Amino acid sequence: MAPPPPRAVRTPPTSSDVARAAGVSRATVSYVLNNTKGGRVSEGTRTRVREAARQLGYVPHASARALRSGRSGIVLLTAPAVTVGQLFARAFSELQQALSDLGHTAVLYGPTRTRGAAAGRHWAELRPDAVLSLMDDSLDEDAVAVLHQAGVGVVLGLGPEPVAGAHALVTDEEQVGFCAASHLLATGRRNLGVIVPADSSLRGFAEPRLAGAERAVRAHGAGTVVRQDLALDEEAAPSWARQCVAAGVEGLFAYNDEYAALAVRALLDTGVRVPEDIAVVGADDLLIGRLLRPRLTTVRLDYMPSREIAELLDRLIGAPETPPESHDMLRARLVVRESA
Amino acid sequence: MAPPPPRAVRTPPTSSDVARAAGVSRATVSYVLNNTKGGRVSEGTRTRVREAARQLGYVPHASARALRSGRSGIVLLTAPAVTVGQLFARAFSELQQALSDLGHTAVLYGPTRTRGAAAGRHWAELRPDAVLSLMDDSLDEDAVAVLHQAGVGVVLGLGPEPVAGAHALVTDEEQVGFCAASHLLATGRRNLGVIVPADSSLRGFAEPRLAGAERAVRAHGAGTVVRQDLALDEEAAPSWARQCVAAGVEGLFAYNDEYAALAVRALLDTGVRVPEDIAVVGADDLLIGRLLRPRLTTVRLDYMPSREIAELLDRLIGAPETPPESHDMLRARLVVRESA
DNA sequence: TTGAAAGCGATACCAT
DNA sequence: ATGGTATCGCTTTCAA
């Protein structure tokens, strides 16, 4: 039986220790362990070094490496509290994988209490090779400036609006509202309600979706849009539903399928028929939409695959001087089911 | 109008630059910027230094600091692909906040392709002050050994089982199944079905919940448990429902509310009455459970608050020699609604 | 094929 | 009240 593993060790082995154990210099250790091109080191030495490293349980010190080489190898992801969840979850681990396949270390830095320049300062301390902000409105022009000033070469903002000075992956949420409202209008609904989540951290998504619905009405030349604030909360729903009926709403676009589910539930409980009296469209094609009756008509979003995002980052890290560019990263598509 | 922010700068300002600009030494800069106790520096100098730092857009270099001081200030969170989502989401950002309030930098390192010692090596490269693995079975005894060997003083595993050598926050999921099944048995159901998600990454949660149900049956002295594998997928549900009826199931524990929702839906569509013919209990008290009709009876979990976890980590970081201890971190509570 | 040595940026002890 | 300086662990010329 092996002895119990040591508790934390006072002085972890360094490359010098490995060098000593293998009877070579630190330089050689570095060459071997990093597989430096050129095959400058003999096969025998290589094995001796590797064996010594294994024996000692040597793990290179990322900070030291970063300090010396000038590259941390880190891609910093930032996200606001709200984002973490649902679609984001999957996207994050895919991204992580994809970046790791390209030799980068993805690290998620959650919501900071600070924003703008102050947040930028926090991020910059790690000297990442790139910063990718995911729907994080903490990233503004000042933050970008701070990052650049601190030598961070690549800043990519993924969100509804490009940020000055940074590359952008634009999520044009406005399409979603446009798509949903167009469908409602096309099926004869005029008086439209649009649910806007009370949760203010969702505003960045909600406002554009609302704006898209308004654009659809303008484009259609007839109809109205009434904004309806609603909390994702069973208590708030019944009174909302009554008010909705009173307002004479004929078609409802509910921000996403979760809000749509809550809304439909409340509407049904009030005696309204869906879709006969009020047609409802959700968004994001969540599972819940297929479980409810009537099944939710929804707007599905196709995102740019994580691998492509990772490749874009990789390319930019390789050419940090590239002037900021914008790419569209999503496309909305209506999925008609039963609720509208 | 200000000039456009510079694109990435070749040589970011260092503390030497600040020192030069302020006409002091690097040592003084360090004292001022870190608010080193003792008030050893005059007020005038302090302001000059701070002003210079601001002007230059100076941001300290975390790697350099870590290298010199021996503390990275980083608490590394690790999580498997699946975890990221739902409850975890909130927990993560709360933890991040709580740790940040205590002066640590929380960083999430997503799922690695590797596990065990290899994963440990990856984590150890950053020389975090602590590693907190969240439901991540990549953390095993070997990984802990690697981390210790590399000088990482604190390793805390949050999950169903303690890991040898590491501190543990035990999530006893077994309680959930026990609690659910006990309720079903108490209401006269004998022939119990337990849904186990087909998604293998959920196994770590699912198996204990199943085991808990089995224990309840043994404790009750009567009844049977039939394991039912089900994918979270509308297609798979109908045939499952028929088979469930054929098996004569009277009470169903459905892993969580999402699976319960899917199951109830399929059962109702098959003509089964819930709860009259089959009683259903979910878990996790998700929103969807309150939206469905009948409303789902569920098992709610109370987790240890993020702040307490953060405080525990903080304490351990301050006293890395503390021998590994285990804490229970959740308590299950039945919430009776309409489905059982 | 290998080694010596110069830093990367910041901290903290020891002088002054 | 401030400055000089050794040092953290590693990479990378330049010599040998």
Side-chain angles (χ1 to χ4, degrees):
Chain A
M1 170 108 186
R7 294 203 48 65
V9 98
R10 358 66 257 175
T11 23
T14 72
S15 76
S16 296
D17 297 322
V18 176
R20 199 169 315 117
V24 299
S25 75
R26 290 151 58 217
T28 305
V29 171
S30 177
Y31 290 143
V32 173
L33 264 30
N34 295 319
N35 264 313
T36 301
K37 296 306 167 200
R40 308 197 147 295
V41 183
S42 73
E43 204 42 60
T45 315
R46 301 184 96 87
T47 8
R48 268 185 12 256
V49 169
R50 278 198 268 260
E51 180 55 21
R54 217 187 45 68
Q55 288 257 342
L56 293 171
Y58 170 71
V59 177
H61 193 305
S63 293
R65 186 209 298 278
L67 185 56
R68 178 59 236 223
S69 70
R71 326 217 82 205
S72 63
I74 287 180
V75 173
L76 192 65
L77 312 190
T78 80
V82 67
T83 307
V84 196
Q86 303 282 78
L87 322 117
F88 175 76
R90 262 255 301 290
F92 169 63
S93 51
E94 286 177 10
L95 245 178
Q96 173 106 4
Q97 291 294 357
L99 284 167
S100 140
D101 289 342
L102 293 169
H104 306 280
T105 298
V107 138
L108 176 65
Y109 206 98
T112 46
R113 203 178 296 295
T114 61
R115 311 166 25 83
R121 230 127 39 207
H122 275 115
W123 300 329
E125 290 194 359
L126 292 187
R127 296 292 194 278
D129 296 338
V131 169
L132 169 58
S133 98
L134 300 164
M135 309 288 186
D136 188 351
D137 59 1
S138 308
L139 183 83
D140 61 11
E141 187 169 351
D142 295 338
V144 174
V146 168
L147 286 165
H148 280 161
Q149 183 70 20
V152 177
V154 179
V155 182
L156 209 186
L158 187 161
E161 296 282 340
V163 174
H167 298 268
L169 248 29
V170 179
T171 56
D172 180 16
E173 299 279 341
E174 204 258 5
Q175 287 181 76
V176 180
F178 183 81
C179 183
S182 297
H183 177 67
L184 290 169
L185 291 162
T187 55
R189 317 287 171 157
R190 282 299 132 83
N191 202 357
L192 267 34
V194 173
I195 291 183
V196 174
D199 183 343
S200 65
S201 52
L202 258 22
R203 263 223 316 261
F205 302 79
E207 305 278 1
R209 291 185 180 192
L210 171 60
E214 285 164 343
R215 179 164 67 85
V217 166
R218 281 196 306 277
H220 193 261
T224 61
V225 167
V226 184
R227 171 195 177 124
Q228 320 229 356
D229 294 276
L230 179 62
L232 189 62
D233 173 348
E234 227 190 338
E235 317 303 313
S239 74
W240 163 83
R242 283 191 299 274
Q243 169 266 312
C244 185
V245 173
V249 167
E250 301 162 334
L252 188 66
F253 165 53
Y255 176 66
N256 79 1
D257 288 352
E258 250 181 334
Y259 283 85
L262 181 63
V264 166
R265 185 72 266 157
L267 255 15
L268 294 177
D269 288 349
T270 312
V272 173
R273 290 168 308 160
V274 177
E276 293 79 0
D277 301 326
I278 300 186
V280 179
V281 180
D284 296 348
D285 192 17
L286 304 179
L287 174 72
I288 191 177
R290 271 163 291 173
L291 261 27
L292 288 178
R293 297 296 180 270
R295 277 176 252 258
L296 285 177
T297 291
T298 191
V299 180
R300 196 189 208 303
L301 288 176
D302 295 317
Y303 291 85
M304 177 184 292
S306 299
R307 194 172 13 79
E308 285 183 29
I309 300 180
E311 281 160 2
L312 172 59
L313 279 168
D314 185 62
R315 213 174 314 131
L316 292 174
I317 289 174
E321 294 302 319
T322 316
E325 7 176 280
S326 254
H327 304 81
D328 256 340
M329 91 145 238
L330 57 82
R331 217 193 46 215
R333 208 175 71 228
L334 190 74
V335 178
V336 179
R337 298 215 184 89
E338 303 161 359
S339 69
Chain B
M1 168 108 186
R7 293 203 49 63
V9 98
R10 357 64 259 175
T11 23
T14 72
S15 77
S16 295
D17 296 321
V18 176
R20 199 169 315 117
V24 299
S25 75
R26 289 150 59 219
T28 305
V29 170
S30 177
Y31 290 143
V32 173
L33 265 30
N34 295 319
N35 264 313
T36 301
K37 298 305 168 201
R40 310 198 143 295
V41 182
S42 75
E43 204 42 60
T45 316
R46 301 184 97 86
T47 9
R48 272 190 4 261
V49 169
R50 278 198 268 261
E51 179 55 20
R54 218 187 43 69
Q55 289 258 340
L56 293 171
Y58 169 72
V59 177
H61 193 304
S63 293
R65 187 209 297 278
L67 184 57
R68 176 59 238 226
S69 70
R71 325 218 85 204
S72 62
I74 288 180
V75 173
L76 193 66
L77 312 191
T78 79
V82 67
T83 308
V84 197
Q86 302 284 80
L87 322 118
F88 176 74
R90 261 254 302 289
F92 170 62
S93 52
E94 285 178 11
L95 247 178
Q96 173 105 4
Q97 290 294 357
L99 285 167
S100 140
D101 290 343
L102 293 170
H104 306 281
T105 298
V107 139
L108 176 65
Y109 206 97
T112 46
R113 203 178 296 293
T114 60
R115 311 166 26 81
R121 231 127 40 207
H122 275 115
W123 300 329
E125 291 195 358
L126 293 187
R127 294 292 192 280
D129 296 338
V131 170
L132 169 57
S133 98
L134 300 164
M135 310 288 185
D136 189 351
D137 59 0
S138 309
L139 182 83
D140 61 10
E141 187 169 351
D142 295 338
V144 174
V146 168
L147 286 165
H148 281 160
Q149 183 70 19
V152 177
V154 179
V155 183
L156 207 177
L158 188 160
E161 295 284 340
V163 175
H167 298 267
L169 250 25
V170 179
T171 56
D172 179 16
E173 299 279 341
E174 204 257 4
Q175 287 180 77
V176 180
F178 182 82
C179 184
S182 297
H183 177 67
L184 291 169
L185 292 163
T187 56
R189 317 287 170 158
R190 282 297 134 85
N191 201 356
L192 268 34
V194 173
I195 292 183
V196 174
D199 184 343
S200 66
S201 53
L202 257 24
R203 262 221 318 259
F205 302 79
E207 304 278 2
R209 290 187 180 193
L210 171 59
E214 285 163 344
R215 179 164 66 87
V217 166
R218 280 196 307 278
H220 193 260
T224 62
V225 167
V226 184
R227 172 196 176 123
Q228 320 229 358
D229 294 276
L230 178 63
L232 191 60
D233 174 347
E234 227 189 339
E235 319 301 316
S239 74
W240 163 83
R242 282 190 299 274
Q243 168 265 311
C244 186
V245 173
V249 166
E250 299 162 334
L252 188 65
F253 166 52
Y255 177 66
N256 79 1
D257 288 352
E258 252 181 333
Y259 282 85
L262 181 63
V264 167
R265 185 72 267 157
L267 254 16
L268 293 176
D269 289 349
T270 311
V272 172
R273 289 168 309 159
V274 176
E276 293 81 359
D277 300 327
I278 300 186
V280 179
V281 180
D284 295 348
D285 193 16
L286 305 178
L287 175 72
I288 191 176
R290 271 163 292 173
L291 262 27
L292 287 179
R293 295 299 180 268
R295 279 176 250 257
L296 285 178
T297 291
T298 192
V299 180
R300 197 189 207 302
L301 288 176
D302 296 317
Y303 291 85
M304 178 183 293
S306 299
R307 193 172 15 78
E308 284 183 30
I309 301 180
E311 281 160 2
L312 173 59
L313 279 168
D314 185 62
R315 215 173 314 130
L316 292 174
I317 290 174
E321 295 302 319
T322 316
E325 9 176 278
S326 255
H327 303 82
D328 256 341
M329 91 147 238
L330 57 81
R331 217 193 46 214
R333 208 174 71 228
L334 190 74
V335 178
V336 179
R337 294 209 265 258
E338 302 161 0
S339 69

